């Protein structure tokens, strides 16, 4: 969901006012708890026993460092996929916030020593890890760690490393940083004395709980709820659908448009999990569902050779990219390439529900061969109040439809310039950003624009 379409301003569910109020209350409580935990270390400066008064620069430096400790301590909680925590906001909005708070932490971590050195330039010697005391060494290592982790995340796509290697470095680096920050604070003994020391132990404890939940609790739970691949279907030269059926349990309930994380053909404890949207109707009675995957990198390149009967473990559902959560008089979907998958789930579910809400689909693809589901979409247009505009970058000679990339003119032609639409856009990050820009330029309220980016980092 768009970070602009904030939880507080959105109709939150198709289940009526009660559901909406529940999300609102849960969301507000979550934010209050987050703010409290981030600011808890700072509040220690005001509570007895107080330290001896020092210069304003030093006190400000410690204040910034305490906020940094709170922000860093909470990053693990933001990153963990704990559905009840993420549901009020949407999983990508929480990841977006996680990324922004990492930048805030970096700024605070750099400002902390800067103020110390401004107060007394002789303290620059604290940077010498060979001669400095242990608390200063921990601080230098923690600051380098924060710089390394933020830098590697910002540059991830340009680094010659796989997503999995980056992810491993990110997680272990984060654990190391929390340990170093705790050791630095406890060792420095500034404000963190007496009973106050225990406050700083809350963050490593939260990180441990988050890690234990992700790496032990979840895998154990999903081990008892396996799925089997029932069918593998080719949709286009490089897009495949996997039909999954629950084995020994009733399956999960998802909303059309949501996604989950999948471990395919590996142990439930495997670190290799990939997010895919559900592409089938949410109303299937057998508890099974489809995912539709485009060959892209090392993992997805093999998806077409998945053997029927392969075991799959599922973590989900997640996501606020669902019409169920945003009731509206008419919907417009603007998708590019494999971004059609959650929209297929929304349209198939609408057909099963005999929903007659007016809908418009603008679906861009490279060529006719790359248009997945076009026959089924044309059939759905007959059953639903659905108008479809296909846009081909590289059309065949006899093509009389839209050509090129999705533009403002194409969207306006397709939607008839209506302002009452709730817009859903999904696809590669560049495409969703461009479409969001176009919609804002058209005067669409940001709260009516929802997007799913097929890339969280
Ligand atoms: C919410 C969401 C829903 C998605 N739904 C679909 C879908 O329905 N169909 C589809 O084909 N694709 C979908 N994707 C994209 C899909 O997850 C990636 O294409 C796939 O994980 C790439 O893996 P790879 O190893 O083949 O490619 P790589 O070359 O390793 O990765 C390509 C890019 O995909 C992302 N990626 C890779 N591995 C992961 C991971 N484990 N977790 C998160 N991101 C990762 C990274 O940004 C990476 O740069 C979705 C992504 C998200 C975030």
């Amino acid at each position: 969901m768009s970070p602009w379409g904030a939880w507080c301003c959105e109709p939150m569910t198709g289940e009526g006012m009660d559901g909406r109020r529940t999300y609102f209350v849960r969301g507000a409580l979550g934010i209050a708890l987050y703010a409290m935990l981030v600011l808890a270390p700072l509040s220690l400066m005001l509570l007895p026993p107080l330290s001896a008064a020092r210069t304003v620069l030093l006190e400000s430096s410690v204040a910034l460092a305490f906020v940094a400790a709170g922000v860093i301590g909470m990053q693990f909680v933001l990153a963990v996929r704990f559905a009840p925590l993420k549901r009020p906001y949407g999983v990508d909005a929480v990841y977006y916030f996680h990324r922004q708070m990492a930048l805030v932490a970096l700024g605070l971590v750099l400002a902390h020593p800067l103020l110390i050195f401004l107060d007394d330039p002789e303290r620059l010697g604290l940077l010498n890890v060979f001669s400095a005391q242990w608390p200063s060494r921990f601080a230098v290592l923690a600051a380098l760690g924060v710089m390394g982790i933020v830098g590697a995340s910002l540059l991830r796509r340009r680094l010659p490393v796989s997503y999995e290697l980056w992810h491993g470095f990110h997680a272990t680096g984060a654990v190391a940083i929390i340990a170093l920050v705790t050791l630095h604070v406890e060792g420095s003994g500034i404000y963190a004395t007496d009973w106050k020391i225990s406050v700083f132990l809350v963050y490593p404890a939260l990180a441990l709980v988050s890690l234990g939940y992700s790496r032990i609790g979840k895998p154990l739970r999903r081990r008892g709820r396996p799925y089997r691949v029932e069918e593998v279907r080719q949709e286009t030269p490089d897009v495949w659908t996997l039909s999954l059926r629950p084995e020994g349990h009733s399956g999960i309930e998802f909303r059309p448009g949501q996604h989950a994380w999948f471990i395919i053909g590996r142990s439930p404890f495997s670190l290799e999990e990939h997010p895919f949207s559900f592409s089938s109707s949410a109303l299937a009675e057998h508890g099974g569902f489809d995912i539709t995957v485009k060959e892209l990198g090392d993992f997805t390149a093999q998806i077409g050779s998945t053997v029927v009967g392969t075991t799959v473990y599922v973590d989900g559902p997640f996501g606020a990219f669902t019409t169920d959560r945003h009731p509206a008089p008419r919907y417009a979907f603007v998708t590019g390439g494999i971004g059609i998958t959650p929209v297929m789930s929304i349209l198939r579910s609408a057909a099963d529900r005999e929903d007659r809400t007016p809908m418009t689909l603008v679906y861009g693809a490279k060529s006719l061969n790359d248009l997945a589901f076009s026959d089924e979409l044309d059939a759905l247009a007959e059953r639903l109040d659905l108008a479809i505009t296909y846009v081909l970058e590289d059309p065949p000679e006899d093509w009389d439809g839209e050509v090129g990339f999705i533009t403002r003119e194409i969207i306006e032609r397709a939607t008839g310039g209506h302002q009452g639409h709730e817009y859903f856009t999904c696809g590669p990050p560049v495409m969703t950003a461009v479409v969001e820009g176009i919609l804002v330029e058209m005067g669409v309220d940001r709260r009516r624009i929802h997007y799913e980016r097929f890339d969280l980092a």
Side-chain angles (χ1 to χ4, degrees):
M1 189 191 87
S2 155
W4 310 111
W7 59 276
C8 56
C9 317
E10 295 286 345
M12 296 315 281
T13 171
E15 292 159 4
M17 277 307 284
D18 281 350
R20 184 177 168 166
R21 213 170 290 134
T22 309
Y23 277 126
F24 186 93
V25 172
R26 273 202 220 154
L29 280 177
I31 290 173
L33 192 65
Y34 175 82
M36 212 177 80
L37 283 163
V38 162
L39 296 176
L42 183 66
S43 64
L44 296 182
M45 293 181 75
L46 306 173
L47 298 173
L50 298 174
S51 294
R54 294 173 304 163
T55 65
V56 173
L57 277 179
L58 266 186
E59 292 295 305
S60 311
S61 163
V62 175
L64 295 181
F66 278 6
V67 179
V71 171
I72 291 170
M74 291 304 288
Q75 285 295 81
F76 253 100
V77 179
L78 293 179
V80 75
R81 285 199 309 269
F82 183 51
L85 268 187
K86 305 238 154 159
R87 205 168 290 134
Y89 323 98
V91 77
D92 50 353
V94 179
Y95 280 130
Y96 177 84
F97 185 65
H98 172 83
R99 287 197 295 274
Q100 302 309 307
M101 292 316 284
L103 296 176
V104 170
L106 177 65
L108 293 168
V109 161
L110 294 179
H112 171 53
L114 203 71
L115 293 185
I116 292 179
F117 303 144
L118 277 179
D119 185 59
D120 180 359
E122 281 196 10
R123 292 204 188 99
L124 275 166
L126 293 173
L127 290 179
N128 185 342
V129 285
F130 299 106
S131 58
Q133 303 282 310
W134 275 107
S136 304
R137 289 177 183 164
F138 293 139
V140 171
L141 290 176
L144 288 175
V146 174
M147 283 190 264
I149 230 171
V150 173
S153 299
L154 292 176
L155 299 172
R156 181 177 66 77
R157 274 186 210 88
R158 280 183 237 157
L159 295 175
V161 295
S162 67
Y163 179 87
E164 286 70 34
L165 195 65
W166 166 80
H167 194 245
F169 166 75
H170 195 80
T172 29
V175 171
I177 289 168
I178 292 211
L180 289 164
V181 167
T182 310
L183 289 168
H184 170 62
V185 173
E186 307 274 325
S188 303
I190 299 171
Y191 289 108
T193 52
D194 305 294
W195 63 272
K196 294 179 181 177
I197 286 182
S198 51
V199 172
F200 287 93
L201 296 178
V202 167
Y203 304 103
L206 277 176
L208 270 183
V209 170
S210 305
L211 215 57
Y213 173 72
S214 303
R215 295 289 151 229
I216 302 169
K218 266 185 189 225
L220 280 177
R221 208 182 53 192
R222 65 187 164 213
R223 190 171 60 171
R225 298 176 63 80
Y227 288 75
R228 293 256 175 252
V229 175
E230 197 183 64
E231 192 189 351
V232 180
R233 284 191 306 278
Q234 186 161 18
E235 305 287 357
T236 74
D238 59 0
V239 171
W240 302 81
T241 291
L242 266 54
S243 293
L244 306 177
R245 291 289 173 273
E247 199 170 79
H249 59 101
S250 55
I252 50 174
E253 273 184 32
F254 64 92
R255 300 262 173 200
Q258 287 193 301
H259 64 271
W261 262 259
F262 296 85
I263 297 178
I264 303 180
R266 289 170 183 258
S267 146
F269 293 88
S270 169
L271 296 179
E272 172 133 20
E273 305 172 74
H274 290 266
F276 299 112
S277 304
F278 300 101
S279 59
S280 52
S281 167
L283 278 74
E285 278 169 12
H286 42 59
F289 52 80
D290 292 353
I291 53 171
T292 302
V293 178
K294 182 180 169 66
E295 294 173 10
L296 186 78
D298 48 357
F299 171 77
T300 48
Q302 308 300 322
I303 202 78
S305 44
T306 308
V307 175
V308 169
T310 299
T311 304
V312 177
Y313 297 102
V314 183
D315 179 22
F318 293 99
F321 188 82
T322 168
T323 41
D324 282 16
R325 213 160 142 169
H326 306 284
R330 43 169 45 92
Y331 294 106
F333 307 101
V334 185
T335 70
I338 195 64
I340 190 67
T341 51
V343 176
M344 277 315 287
S345 174
I346 290 171
L347 297 177
R348 284 166 163 163
S349 307
D352 285 348
R353 290 169 175 164
E354 298 180 4
D355 185 345
R356 297 297 298 171
T357 308
M359 300 182 204
T360 302
L361 168 65
V362 179
Y363 177 12
K366 191 151 181 44
S367 71
L368 208 49
N369 271 346
D370 297 304
L371 272 182
F373 306 116
S374 56
D375 288 346
E376 189 182 343
L377 282 168
D378 294 340
L380 281 168
E382 303 287 317
R383 289 176 64 191
L384 297 164
D385 185 352
L386 169 69
I388 305 177
T389 300
Y390 296 111
V391 187
L392 295 184
E393 245 175 85
D394 187 8
E397 273 182 16
D398 57 350
W399 178 252
D400 59 0
E402 301 283 3
V403 175
F405 293 112
I406 296 171
T407 59
R408 174 174 179 167
E409 291 67 35
I410 291 177
I411 296 176
E412 282 181 337
R413 264 198 298 278
T415 56
H418 289 299
Q419 288 295 310
H421 287 92
E422 200 80 10
Y423 284 87
F424 286 77
T425 177
C426 181
V430 176
M431 191 220 100
T432 52
V434 168
V435 170
E436 191 194 5
I438 291 174
L439 295 176
V440 170
E441 206 181 278
M442 280 167 59
V444 178
D445 186 335
R446 280 189 194 274
R447 287 171 299 174
R448 294 197 167 281
I449 307 171
H450 312 279
Y451 56 75
E452 186 81 284
R453 285 192 182 133
F454 277 5
D455 195 347
L456 291 175

